[in-house]
Amino acid sequence: MPTDSLNALLEQQQALRSRIAYLEKERDFIKSLYSNMPQVLQSISKGALLGTLLDGFKIKLQAQLSSAYCLFLVCDKDCLQWRLQYTDGINDALLNSNSLLGVVPKALVTFAASPSCPKRHDSSIQNASGWDHWSSFIKKHAFTDVSMVSVSDGQGAIYLMLAFQREEHRLESELMTLALDAYSSWLSAVFEREKADYLLLEDSHRDPSTGLLRRYSFENSFGIVLKDARRHFLRAAVLSIKLLSNSTIKEEELKALADVMQETVRDNDLIAYFGERELVMGIRIQHLTDAEIVAAKLLKSLHSSAFSGNKLAHDGLSIGIAFYPEHSSLDTLYQAASMAANSLKNVSGYRIEFHGKYYKSSADFYSI
């Protein structure tokens, strides 16, 4: 066999052996990376605590990238506040005298502020201007490369993992990418689970068509208001708001009305959707006039241009008002407020129940 052909054959065999060796390494890497995925997925599906899951991911990734040093960080969405998730004998050099993360490299800030590029690899970082703030840390440990991944939790925080490597132990880029993608997928799954838990909790407490509390959630929450009122000798009021329209209720019209109701009261006041044609408010008040001010404001808002084509607003509302401590429980408050609303005989306006009688205004309570 000619020498050239023999050399070519040897080169092909060498290339094949190298390729086989790499594929075997890649196989072992992937096998190790995903070896405990059933357990991880089960933990996520069961809603394990975020801290517990993050600790597990850290241990897993550090074991997977044994030749690299992994640094775990969290920052806010504006990339202004930074902290180390875990401290050790290596990264404590990055902390200031107050045990807080000091200056952050420009390259890291730029990366965190670019969610459209969730992975990045920087080489020759010992001499890179973007990493000069950590130059002493990088040179001390002879780091030459860093691979980064970022994941947003959807709540205003960004979780980052940095894998610092040395030239002589640098992992193939394809394998590092696999590890970064796995970490990103794990965290994303956890954050999606937390988001789902939150939405399920919200859906169980609020009516999706109005965004208002469901009846049982209103009852539980207003029960707390009454306990506070008894403890601190405060006043409260319940408003029964009945829709006078007999037409089929359109969801968008009801939502518009619910939005105005929420704008009318304070954030810590309660509004619920009790039934097809009734909504209920529970508000904290200082004076008896406070509740009728809210009712009058709500009725006035129905005449705004925003409700020009809203049938519910056009047909009006009957609002009944009852007070605590004149009534000692939510049941009696609601019954009194509902009867006050009914006393209007399907006429738009408000009436106040006070010691068994109905009044147009609290100013009439003590008139002779």
Side-chain angles (χ1 to χ4, degrees), residues 82-97:
W82 293 74
R83 66 178 175 85
L84 287 172
Q85 280 184 259
Y86 310 96
T87 56
D88 55 39
I90 295 177
N91 63 38
D92 59 6
L94 301 175
L95 303 176
N96 58 26
S97 58

Side-chain angles (χ1 to χ4, degrees), residues 68-82:
Y69 172 71
C70 297
L71 186 68
F72 299 85
L73 302 164
V74 183
C75 72
D76 65 305
K77 62 181 179 180
D78 298 317
C79 304
L80 298 176
Q81 299 177 355
W82 293 74

Side-chain angles (χ1 to χ4, degrees), residues 103-123:
V103 292
V104 178
K106 294 177 183 178
L108 182 53
V109 175
T110 301
F111 170 67
S114 305
S116 59
C117 300
K119 292 194 300 291
R120 177 169 147 179
H121 177 83
D122 285 4
S123 57

Side-chain angles (χ1 to χ4, degrees), residues 12 21 28 37 39 49 52 55 59 61-62 101 120-121 201 208 214 219 225 250 277 296 338 359:
Q12 291 175 1
D28 294 341
M37 273 303 96
Q39 293 88 344
L49 294 175
T52 301
D55 290 348
I59 294 170
L61 209 59
Q62 285 183 326
L101 191 64
R120 177 169 147 179
H121 177 83
L201 181 62
R214 296 185 188 273
E219 292 172 348
V225 172
K250 296 181 179 179
R277 298 186 185 275
S338 181
Y359 299 88

Side-chain angles (χ1 to χ4, degrees), residues 206-213 251 254-255 258-259 262 272-273 279:
R206 295 186 180 275
D207 183 271
S209 63
T210 62
L212 303 180
L213 291 170
E251 188 171 301
L254 183 61
K255 182 64 169 64
D259 290 343
Q262 289 176 313
Y273 186 33
L279 301 100

